[in-house]
Amino acid sequence: MNTEKIAARRLSLEEVTKLGVKDRIFVSADTADLKVPGCYVPAFLTKSGEDFEGGSVMARTIFQEEVACLPDDENEAGIYLADENGSATIEVLQSAGVVLDLALFVPGGDKGALSALYAAARQAFGADVVQIWRQALKEVPDVKVDIFEEQIPRGRKGGDSPKRDRRAIDTYPTRADFIEFSAGWKPVVEIHKPIVDDTPTI
């Protein structure tokens, strides 16, 4: 386990309410996923401290886990901020690297193309360093699609047709799973139909 000792100070609830979502803080690593007591992990508030309405403060760790913190509770680990003049020294859990969860499309990809891809990654980061834990390969058809977001109908059925906005044109498989759609809207994927301009010309 790779950790680093840093000088820090514990924040009061009042100080936490003055932080923004980009301020780097440290919260306990004794969480549901990590389970590392006596250690801290870098994190960021999920919403600005000025929007705090009482109860727990929510933070998201760099490992993408959301945790609840009670800054003023002496029985809790609290929230810390790095400070060279701080009165506390905390042990911070370091990141070993990142796991890439990619939808990677390899045109005309075959076993040779994938072997070359992995070889290039190992050359960049070192042999035996890049580990492939999960591999799901699927052939995909060459089909162009339109990705729309369509307003979810409310109220009585048979009303006006739902509003629709095109978000992207893509080759199948689509990016629909990765696009953040607006609240109250849903993704719709259809075969691409080129827009024909029927405006008469002189």
Side-chain angles (χ1 to χ4, degrees):
M1 187 170 70
N2 187 18
T3 62
E4 177 189 10
K5 285 185 168 61
I6 68 165
R9 63 184 175 86
R10 180 167 177 155
L11 298 178
S12 66
L13 179 57
E14 184 180 355
E15 289 176 306
V16 172
T17 59
K18 296 176 182 177
L19 296 178
V21 294
K22 293 184 178 180
D23 291 311
R24 187 180 175 97
I25 56 177
F26 297 94
V27 299
S28 175
D30 190 10
T31 64
D33 287 347
L34 295 172
K35 300 182 177 68
V36 186
C39 208
Y40 287 79
V41 60
F44 301 89
L45 296 179
T46 57
K47 64 179 182 178
S48 179
E50 63 185 13
D51 297 329
F52 177 66
E53 298 173 351
S56 300
V57 174
M58 297 301 296
R60 181 179 290 107
T61 73
I62 60 169
F63 306 118
Q64 302 306 309
E65 183 181 7
E66 284 199 10
V67 294
C69 311
L70 295 169
D72 280 348
D73 191 333
E74 293 182 0
N75 297 319
E76 295 281 334
I79 296 176
Y80 283 81
L81 193 68
D83 186 346
E84 292 181 357
N85 301 317
S87 58
T89 299
I90 60 174
E91 198 159 359
V92 178
L93 183 65
Q94 300 297 297
S95 170
V98 296
V99 174
L100 296 178
D101 188 3
L102 298 176
L104 187 63
F105 174 60
V106 182
D110 55 17
K111 189 173 181 180
L114 294 175
S115 296
L117 186 66
Y118 299 147
R122 291 193 174 103
Q123 185 175 359
F125 298 103
D128 301 325
V129 173
V130 175
Q131 302 170 33
I132 302 159
W133 296 341
R134 181 173 59 238
Q135 177 177 276
L137 303 180
K138 183 171 68 172
E139 294 281 347
V140 294
D142 186 7
V143 178
K144 188 172 284 187
V145 295
D146 289 322
I147 304 173
F148 298 93
E149 65 174 2
E150 190 174 272
Q151 206 166 27
I152 298 172
R154 293 183 177 179
R156 292 182 298 175
K157 295 182 179 179
D160 296 332
S161 58
K163 294 180 181 177
R164 176 181 286 191
D165 290 328
R166 182 159 64 189
R167 294 293 302 272
I169 300 175
D170 206 353
T171 301
Y172 185 90
T174 75
R175 287 175 290 175
D177 292 340
F178 307 98
I179 294 177
E180 290 187 8
F181 290 89
S182 309
W185 295 69
K186 64 180 180 180
V188 177
V189 178
E190 295 180 354
I191 299 295
H192 176 61
K193 295 177 182 177
I195 297 174
V196 178
D197 187 355
D198 292 329
T199 306
T201 57
I202 297 174

